[in-house]
Amino acid sequence: MDFYGPNLSCTDNSECDDSFSVNVKPDIKERRRKLHTEAEQRRRDAIKHGFDALAELVNPENQDSIEGSLKLSKVTILNKATSIINKNLETQQTLQKEILSLRKEVAALEIIRENYEKKTREINALPTTSNNTLDSNYKMSAFLQFSESLFDSFNTSLQIAPFPEISNNVIDWVEGTCSSDNLRQHFFSSIKKLPVTFDFPF
């Protein structure tokens, strides 16, 4: 690009200024047009790269397939992205509800634990004698034997399955096994396994 400087041979200042303006203005306009074109191209490239990256995120399974080789339209990419975002938002809301429910369960279990600890401290604070110690040991053995009997029944009835099915199995076990008659049978069966037996008045 040629640059023509001012005409040094002119004697009038206004003529020199006009000559310089005429020669320089086309060059400035061309540079501005070129800069504008380059900026517009960079903007388009950035948009294209953004859509290409978004297409890989919303349709990753088809990138190496024949269908994936076909360019998705921008409308399709945006629709898929919107659908995925909405689905993720729904999943997030569901998980937040589950977290809230689990926190409530943890709080309830914490209260139960504190109550059991309080009861344990109260029992440990009671005075004991040798006879009471023997009775307590026997009661503990009977309770452990009874608990093991119930757990064996529970473990046999419960199978590895999805949570809804496990819940149904637990309910069926409670309804079928934890009736007063069945618990009485489990209790007497457990007592018979202890080294010392007693005649109970019930």
Side-chain angles (χ1 to χ4, degrees):
M1 179 173 57
D2 296 332
F3 177 78
Y4 299 96
N7 187 0
L8 299 179
S9 62
C10 62
T11 57
D12 187 78
N13 289 335
S14 61
E15 292 180 358
C16 291
D17 292 340
D18 292 341
S19 175
F20 180 78
S21 176
V22 169
N23 292 328
V24 172
K25 280 184 178 180
D27 181 58
I28 294 176
K29 290 181 179 180
E30 178 64 21
R31 291 178 61 187
R32 288 179 178 175
R33 186 188 66 79
K34 184 177 180 180
L35 291 175
H36 177 74
T37 301
E38 292 176 352
E40 179 65 18
Q41 186 61 43
R42 287 194 298 270
R43 186 184 70 85
R44 292 181 179 181
D45 290 342
I47 293 175
K48 180 180 181 300
H49 293 158
F51 271 99
D52 289 343
L54 189 58
E56 292 180 2
L57 291 175
V58 301
N59 203 32
E61 66 277 4
N62 291 331
Q63 292 301 314
D64 298 329
S65 64
I66 297 177
E67 295 179 358
S69 62
L70 301 176
K71 288 291 185 180
L72 297 176
S73 67
K74 294 180 180 180
V75 174
T76 302
I77 293 174
L78 292 176
N79 286 337
K80 285 193 173 186
T82 302
S83 177
I84 292 174
I85 291 173
N86 289 333
K87 184 177 180 180
N88 288 339
L89 288 175
E90 292 177 359
T91 302
Q92 183 181 17
Q93 292 176 355
T94 301
L95 292 176
Q96 288 177 347
K97 291 180 180 179
E98 292 180 0
I99 291 173
L100 181 60
S101 177
L102 291 174
R103 285 177 177 173
K104 291 180 179 179
E105 291 183 14
V106 170
L109 292 174
E110 184 67 21
I111 293 174
I112 294 173
R113 182 185 66 82
E114 292 176 356
N115 289 334
Y116 272 112
E117 289 180 350
K118 181 180 178 181
K119 291 292 184 182
T120 302
R121 289 192 297 268
E122 292 175 354
I123 293 174
N124 292 335
L126 295 175
T128 58
T129 62
S130 58
N131 291 333
N132 288 335
T133 301
L134 179 61
D135 293 341
S136 297
N137 290 335
Y138 181 81
K139 292 176 182 178
M140 179 58 69
S141 298
F143 177 77
L144 291 176
Q145 192 68 38
F146 177 65
S147 300
E148 289 177 359
S149 175
L150 284 179
F151 177 77
D152 290 339
S153 173
F154 176 81
N155 191 38
T156 303
S157 301
L158 200 64
Q159 302 295 331
I160 297 177
F163 183 77
E165 186 175 345
I166 292 178
S167 300
N168 291 331
N169 291 339
V170 171
I171 293 174
D172 292 339
W173 179 83
V174 171
E175 294 293 335
T177 304
C178 296
S179 63
S180 58
D181 292 337
N182 287 335
L183 289 178
R184 187 186 299 270
Q185 292 177 4
H186 277 289
F187 178 75
F188 283 121
S189 297
S190 302
I191 293 300
K192 291 178 181 179
K193 297 178 182 179
L194 295 176
V196 180
T197 58
F198 293 89
D199 293 330
F200 293 93
F202 49 84

